[in-house]
Amino acid sequence: MSVDVLINNVTKRYGDFTAIEDMSFKINKGEFFTLLGPSGCGKTTLLRMIAGFNTIEGGDILFDTTNINKLPAHKRDIGMVFQNYAIFPHLSTYDNVAYGLKARKVPKDEAHKRIMDALKVVQIEQLKDRMPHELSGGQQQRVALARAIVIEPKILLMDEPLSNLDAKLRVQMRSTIKKLQSKLGITTIYVTHDQEEALAISDRIAVMNLGKVMQIGSPDEVYRRPSNDFVADFIGTSNFLEGKIISSENGSMIIDVMDYQFTVQFDKNHQGDVLLSVRPEHFFFSEESKGIKGEIILSTFLGDFINYEIQLPNGDILEVNEYTEKVGKIRNNGPVTLQINEKSVSIFTRDGKERLVR
Amino acid sequence: MTRFLPKRLDFWFFAKIVIFSLFGFFLIYPFVNMFIRGFTSTDGTFSLAYFQRFAEYKYYYQTLFRSLSVAVSTTFFAMLVGMPMAYAMSRYNLIGKRVINIMIIMSLMSPPFIGAYSWILLLGRSGVITKFFVGLGINMPSIYGYLGIILVFTLKLFPYIYLYVSGALGSIDSSLEEAAENLGSNKLRRLMTITFPVILPTILSGAIMVFMSALADFGTPMLIGEGYKVLPVLVYEEYMSEIGGNAGMASALSMIVIMVSMFVLLMQKRFVAKRKYTMSALRPPQIIKLRVIPKIVLSCLAFIVSLVAFLPQIVVVYTSFVKTSGPVFVAGYSLDSYRTIFYRLARNITNTFTFSTIAMFFIIIIGILVAYLMVRRPSKSSTVLDVFVMFPYVVPSAIMGISLLLAFNRRPLLLAGTSFIMIVAYAIRKMPYTVRSASAILQQIDPSIEDASINLGVSPIKTFFTVTSRLMLPGIISGAILSWISTINELGSSVMLYTGRTATISVAIYTEVIRNSFGTAAALASILTVATILSFIIFALISKGKVSVI
């Protein structure tokens, strides 16, 4: 049923504007795969190319071994959930879900059974006779989901399906979708600009920017091992610091950041200036004199942790988190010394394009 | 992204080609042909002779000044009546608003020349009111000529201003006026500095409708103008007197009328483009509760104005039941007029409804396709299509009739005198209503609904016919009813294109009035009025009270 999706050298241009530039990757059978990026990064363009709403002029898209470049959208056998649900306003819940089965000429009895099953799976069987205008946003979302899965598609596409829901419902629907997907084992391609949502829901994430894939990896990988400064910045919060390699030997090098020196294991040999990206939780306050000197100017209590804004002598501001349980009380404003957890730091070339550590 | 040749040769590509061919053949070719005729002398060479003659002889050029003067005065008076009416109706708790509103809309929907004809019955040489005053020894000013034209036009066309301005006043968020009040403006100051400037573009749109209609109408000045000849009447006479010979002068005059309308329309567009205020009324303005006396006085005034505008239709229906002896009304009532028309003019009645129904069929089909192309497939060619479809809107229908006659009056393109050519004229001339309302509703339909249908396995064409058109239906029907109402009442192109066999009700009313056969004219006009009212009721039911006839 489910298929692999291969994106081979796919390019999309609108006049002078390149929406997708020579993109290649593979989405595995049964995988929950997310296209994540800021608006205009090409994620929706790519999704609509897979769905068949945008033409494919450069490169190929394959489902398993079948090239679908020329296959019209209505013959691709793909389920899709749209950002604004796109529920047919003139049809009841039941008829909305029945729509795709009618197009496939599924016998009535079988269709009825499948529709009721789908409605049950998304927990709206009691709403089957309602018209769309009698449904809330969350209920419409469930109709859209049922309508997409009832046709037992090869692939499920979702275009920012949660962006129109309120925060609480969003989290709830997120887990509904995740559970449903793993139960059905259907290859799913999910588009979002919300990095937190992507981390929560995906098996793998393709982080995109300006029509290019910046990194593909599991949520853990893209968070902890960002390939470049864009990913480090876009996923979670990162503090960027300039540093310098002062010596290198046998893959282990000494880095200097504002006179604070520490040793890291290098993946690639490099000389000179580097860019460091440090998550707020990867700093720790030190009683030693060794470290980065700064001054707490604001502390914010956030329950399980405390967030500090720390101003450096050059005026830059760092964000540092400390777990409440670890310290028990909020630090006072004033001078502090910070050290970096060297195992967790990301180090890039000075231009931020290349990752140097494992 | 925009291109003339599509990547795929799909249904829409062929639809576009067919529509372009139809418009090319029945709209562009006739007008280009007319354009060339206007610049061609009798011996077939290029010549400016007609335009020279127009500029030289007072007989010709004064009609332009008269037309402009009529259009400007009508616009002025229509604003004078329409704006206070709109303000009073939308801001105060008047009594009988529904009735007043319906009377105003009905007077806009009435056949174009019924006003002129009724006012002749009331204020003409042997009119009821005239006789009454003559009996008292008072001489009434003549209704014929400039004064009559202005009176009839103002009463028929002020509803445009009224409808546009009421719409705009209803969509001003009340916080805007409250803010002005809060900043220390008194009522009058608020009206002049906030309310009025904000709705100014809308007032202008209404004014343009009035201006263009007054400029283009030919029935009213023909009936009531007598010696006061305006440009469309001159075009008609030039064409009729030259028939069989060279229609160059009529063509040249038509060009002048079209150029004036286009110029005015462009000016308005330029003005409005700079002042486009988008507002969504979160809180529509509150209706001010007047005390009893002012409320009654204001309601009475509004009622009288709308009644006077609606009067022609009452007069027409009434006189259709009055006994006649030849051209003279005599005491007593009878159905003779109706007997006469059913006996003698039944063909005209069936013609009107048959032609209009067939035209409506084409208008709906082509209208839906054009709306879809314009909204969902925007491209250079779609923009051109938009211009083609909307062009007839600025062309007086009599001129449209002439252009079709000139283009199709000889073999191998001999269509003049057929029912077909009349249906073509109606379809092209009345298409804009349907296209506008169909594209307005399509713009509100989320494209992803169509995507969803395709995604679920229904081909794009089937999706268009089962989902998109289904969702567009309310907009299409209400647009089509407006097209229909306007078609059954159409005079200008009918009068140019009819022959004995293809004459319609409006043509018959026109010829009956010219023959002083007022009784039968009234009966025919009543049939049109009743058909119009019924269509309008259906329209109001379909659009569920959200009535917008503009």
Side-chain angles (χ1 to χ4, degrees):
Chain A
M1 270 299 302
S2 214
V3 294
D4 290 336
V5 178
L6 268 90
I7 311 289
N8 285 342
N9 307 103
V10 168
T11 300
K12 182 80 186 175
R13 287 199 180 82
Y14 294 112
D16 293 338
F17 174 72
T18 305
I20 306 268
E21 198 178 324
D22 194 22
M23 199 173 273
S24 294
F25 56 85
K26 183 185 171 195
I27 299 161
N28 299 317
K29 193 172 294 191
E31 185 173 34
F32 200 118
F33 192 89
T34 297
L35 304 174
L36 170 69
S39 60
C41 74
K43 56 190 191 296
T44 297
T45 305
L46 182 64
L47 192 81
R48 291 178 64 83
M49 286 168 92
I50 298 170
F53 298 128
N54 288 345
T55 52
I56 304 163
E57 287 111 30
D60 297 291
I61 296 180
L62 285 83
F63 293 172
D64 283 340
T65 52
T66 317
N67 187 312
I68 53 118
N69 282 19
K70 299 279 178 239
L71 195 64
H74 64 281
K75 292 187 181 153
R76 290 197 184 184
D77 211 9
I78 290 174
M80 183 156 176
V81 177
F82 293 83
Q83 180 165 16
N84 42 18
Y85 323 134
I87 302 294
F88 303 121
H90 60 304
L91 299 179
S92 67
T93 299
Y94 187 92
D95 290 336
N96 260 284
V97 180
Y99 193 89
L101 296 178
K102 273 191 193 139
R104 285 168 175 70
K105 304 205 165 52
V106 175
K108 234 182 166 183
D109 293 345
E110 191 199 333
H112 178 73
K113 193 180 163 300
R114 277 166 69 177
I115 294 162
M116 290 315 290
D117 284 349
L119 291 174
K120 205 172 285 171
V121 168
V122 296
Q123 297 157 3
I124 49 165
E125 66 264 48
Q126 73 284 4
L127 303 176
K128 70 181 172 59
D129 297 321
R130 294 263 186 99
M131 293 303 283
H133 62 90
E134 300 169 313
L135 300 173
S136 70
Q139 290 167 338
Q140 289 192 26
Q141 177 66 267
R142 286 169 191 269
V143 176
L145 209 53
R147 188 176 68 180
I149 59 170
V150 77
I151 60 171
E152 293 167 4
K154 293 192 197 112
I155 302 168
L156 188 60
L157 304 182
M158 298 197 183
D159 187 4
E160 310 228 8
L162 304 180
S163 60
N164 288 339
L165 300 177
D166 66 56
K168 202 167 174 189
L169 204 54
R170 196 150 58 213
V171 174
Q172 202 185 326
M173 273 311 285
R174 195 161 84 187
S175 61
T176 305
I177 290 174
K178 175 78 181 162
K179 281 180 208 151
L180 183 66
Q181 191 271 341
S182 59
K183 191 170 129 197
L184 299 174
I186 180 171
T187 312
T188 300
I189 307 174
Y190 188 99
V191 160
T192 184
H193 64 268
D194 181 338
Q195 47 97 15
E196 189 194 317
E197 192 173 297
L199 293 176
I201 207 167
S202 320
D203 292 327
R204 279 198 304 155
I205 299 171
V207 184
M208 292 172 64
N209 188 35
L210 302 173
K212 289 183 195 149
V213 170
M214 295 281 115
Q215 183 175 5
I216 295 181
S218 67
D220 178 74
E221 279 164 354
V222 293
Y223 184 80
R224 296 220 288 198
R225 298 276 175 264
S227 316
N228 51 47
D229 60 340
F230 175 81
V231 178
D233 192 34
F234 192 74
I235 309 255
T237 310
S238 286
N239 295 292
F240 288 101
L241 292 162
E242 287 169 22
K244 192 181 266 173
I245 300 170
I246 50 174
S247 82
S248 89
E249 240 170 55
N250 307 332
S252 127
M253 312 194 185
I254 300 171
I255 306 272
D256 178 288
V257 181
M258 306 170 91
D259 298 331
Y260 166 54
Q261 296 177 355
F262 59 96
T263 311
V264 289
Q265 302 300 313
F266 265 52
D267 214 18
K268 291 170 184 153
N269 218 357
H270 198 73
Q271 300 290 325
D273 291 343
V274 288
L275 184 70
L276 286 77
S277 142
V278 190
R279 301 287 185 197
E281 66 270 26
H282 295 151
F283 284 108
F284 56 90
F285 293 96
S286 167
E287 302 307 319
E288 298 171 36
S289 61
K290 178 184 154 188
I292 299 168
K293 304 276 183 280
E295 190 180 335
I296 296 180
I297 54 168
L298 181 73
S299 43
T300 311
F301 180 71
L302 292 168
D304 51 350
F305 62 87
I306 303 151
N307 175 273
Y308 296 100
E309 274 186 26
I310 292 165
Q311 189 166 39
L312 302 181
N314 65 7
D316 287 356
I317 307 270
L318 294 183
E319 251 190 77
V320 176
N321 290 344
E322 190 172 40
Y323 282 98
T324 315
E325 217 171 77
K326 240 175 175 172
V327 280
K329 73 174 184 61
I330 302 173
R331 291 169 192 274
N332 296 326
N333 287 8
V336 286
T337 304
L338 291 171
Q339 290 192 3
I340 294 174
N341 179 349
E342 57 229 38
K343 288 212 175 74
S344 305
V345 67
S346 291
I347 298 170
F348 308 113
T349 50
R350 181 63 196 85
D351 61 7
K353 297 269 181 283
E354 201 183 337
R355 185 179 176 88
L356 299 170
V357 290
R358 219 168 271 132
Chain B
M1 270 168 87
T2 52
R3 53 179 77 202
F4 267 92
L5 264 181
K7 282 161 261 169
R8 283 168 299 160
L9 300 178
D10 62 0
F11 170 80
W12 292 108
F13 176 70
F14 293 107
K16 210 179 248 187
I17 288 185
V18 171
I19 295 169
F20 263 110
S21 320
L22 287 175
F23 275 92
F25 193 63
F26 290 116
L27 181 72
I28 307 307
Y29 160 63
F31 275 96
V32 170
N33 176 55
M34 191 164 85
F35 187 79
I36 294 170
R37 295 255 187 143
F39 289 101
T40 313
S41 67
T42 35
D43 57 12
T45 53
F46 175 82
S47 133
L48 289 171
Y50 301 118
F51 292 92
Q52 266 165 11
R53 205 176 342 152
F54 178 83
E56 258 168 53
Y57 293 96
K58 192 175 177 201
Y59 174 77
Y60 290 118
Y61 68 72
Q62 76 174 358
T63 58
L64 176 62
F65 294 128
R66 283 174 170 178
S67 274
L68 289 174
S69 150
V70 162
V72 169
S73 317
T74 302
T75 310
F76 174 77
F77 286 113
M79 287 167 80
L80 209 62
V81 180
M83 295 198 315
M85 279 294 278
Y87 194 83
M89 286 281 284
S90 50
R91 290 299 164 87
Y92 298 111
N93 60 334
L94 301 190
I95 312 161
K97 271 191 188 179
R98 271 181 81 94
V99 177
I100 295 172
N101 210 16
I102 288 171
M103 288 200 293
I104 295 176
I105 293 173
M106 283 316 302
S107 54
L108 182 65
M109 294 274 131
S110 69
F113 45 86
I114 276 182
Y117 160 60
S118 296
W119 285 108
I120 291 174
L121 289 182
L122 294 171
L123 292 172
R125 281 180 202 98
S126 51
V128 186
I129 302 176
T130 317
K131 276 184 185 159
F132 174 75
F133 278 106
V134 168
L136 295 177
I138 304 167
N139 270 328
M140 297 285 289
S142 170
I143 186 75
Y144 302 97
Y146 180 73
L147 209 64
I149 299 176
I150 302 290
L151 173 78
V152 174
F153 275 169
T154 302
L155 289 174
K156 174 162 168 61
L157 300 174
F158 89 86
Y160 277 125
I161 306 278
Y162 167 80
L163 291 168
Y164 274 89
V165 173
S166 320
L169 283 174
S171 67
I172 293 185
D173 194 296
S174 58
S175 58
L176 202 63
E177 292 183 352
E178 283 164 11
E181 200 175 355
N182 173 259
L183 292 167
S185 280
N186 64 27
K187 257 188 192 165
L188 184 66
R189 207 184 138 78
R190 198 171 79 205
L191 186 67
M192 297 318 288
T193 57
I194 302 292
T195 316
F196 185 70
V198 164
I199 64 169
L200 189 60
T202 318
I203 297 175
L204 274 174
S205 304
I208 279 301
M209 291 299 294
V210 175
F211 187 92
M212 305 267 275
S213 310
L215 191 68
D217 190 14
F218 131 95
T220 300
M222 195 81 183
L223 287 178
I224 210 170
E226 297 208 333
Y228 195 82
K229 200 174 285 175
V230 294
L231 197 43
V233 174
L234 180 68
V235 175
Y236 173 77
E237 288 184 351
E238 282 297 313
Y239 184 77
M240 285 306 179
S241 65
E242 289 186 37
I243 202 146
N246 188 316
M249 191 67 207
S251 300
L253 294 173
S254 301
M255 287 298 129
I256 293 168
V257 179
I258 294 173
M259 271 166 355
V260 172
S261 332
M262 297 256 254
F263 176 75
V264 173
L265 196 71
L266 287 177
M267 291 291 289
Q268 183 251 1
K269 283 217 156 156
R270 279 196 65 172
F271 181 84
V272 172
K274 278 186 253 164
R275 297 173 181 71
K276 211 171 181 183
Y277 314 113
T278 48
M279 278 178 302
S280 50
L282 300 170
R283 243 161 8 102
Q286 280 204 326
I287 292 181
I288 300 160
K289 295 221 174 352
L290 291 172
R291 275 171 291 121
V292 182
I293 305 275
K295 180 166 142 185
I296 289 174
V297 172
L298 208 55
S299 302
C300 281
L301 276 175
F303 188 77
I304 289 168
V305 171
S306 58
L307 184 68
V308 170
F310 187 57
L311 197 58
Q313 287 172 78
I314 300 174
V315 170
V316 158
V317 175
Y318 173 79
T319 50
S320 72
F321 293 108
V322 175
K323 239 185 204 157
T324 53
S325 160
V328 193
F329 289 111
V330 293
Y333 299 95
S334 83
L335 290 172
D336 286 349
S337 301
Y338 286 96
R339 265 182 222 116
T340 313
I341 59 168
F342 284 121
Y343 170 69
R344 194 161 58 83
L345 298 167
R347 168 153 233 152
N348 300 55
I349 299 169
T350 47
N351 277 349
T352 287
F353 293 109
T354 319
F355 297 170
S356 302
T357 308
I358 300 173
M360 198 51 41
F361 176 76
F362 288 113
I363 287 176
I364 290 175
I365 302 284
I366 298 174
I368 298 176
L369 298 178
V370 169
Y372 187 88
L373 285 169
M374 274 159 49
V375 177
R376 290 286 195 258
R377 303 288 173 100
S379 67
K380 274 179 208 150
S381 56
S382 298
T383 313
V384 175
L385 196 58
D386 187 15
V387 174
F388 281 6
V389 174
M390 290 301 161
F391 176 65
Y393 215 61
V394 301
V395 179
S397 57
I399 289 177
M400 177 123 168
I402 293 178
S403 79
L404 285 169
L405 262 188
L406 289 176
F408 300 112
N409 63 356
R410 92 199 84 169
R411 289 175 195 287
L413 298 176
L414 184 60
L415 296 172
T418 60
S419 322
F420 179 73
I421 196 76
M422 299 193 64
I423 293 167
V424 166
Y426 294 159
I428 291 184
R429 182 74 177 77
K430 308 302 181 188
M431 181 95 56
Y433 297 102
T434 303
V435 171
R436 271 194 181 184
S437 100
S439 43
I441 197 163
L442 185 55
Q443 262 154 1
Q444 289 166 12
I445 300 172
D446 194 316
S448 63
I449 288 185
E450 291 155 59
D451 289 350
S453 166
I454 295 167
N455 172 256
L456 289 165
V458 175
S459 69
I461 283 308
K462 209 176 159 205
T463 294
F464 174 74
F465 285 109
T466 56
V467 178
T468 319
S469 1
R470 165 68 188 73
L471 294 175
M472 284 168 77
L473 211 56
I476 294 164
I477 292 179
S478 50
I481 293 175
L482 289 185
S483 291
W484 161 267
I485 291 175
S486 165
T487 308
I488 59 175
N489 290 316
E490 167 69 17
L491 176 68
S493 56
S494 312
V495 124
M496 300 309 307
L497 294 168
Y498 85 97
T499 59
R501 277 176 47 250
T502 62
T504 59
I505 299 180
S506 53
V507 170
I509 300 173
Y510 179 72
T511 49
E512 293 297 291
V513 170
I514 298 285
R515 290 170 49 198
N516 281 334
S517 185
F518 287 141
T520 45
L524 286 165
S526 301
I527 291 175
L528 273 190
T529 302
V530 170
T532 304
I533 291 175
L534 285 179
S535 314
F536 187 74
I537 290 171
I538 297 171
F539 170 76
L541 287 177
I542 287 173
S543 38
K544 291 190 186 98
K546 279 178 276 177
V547 174
S548 159
V549 292
I550 44 180

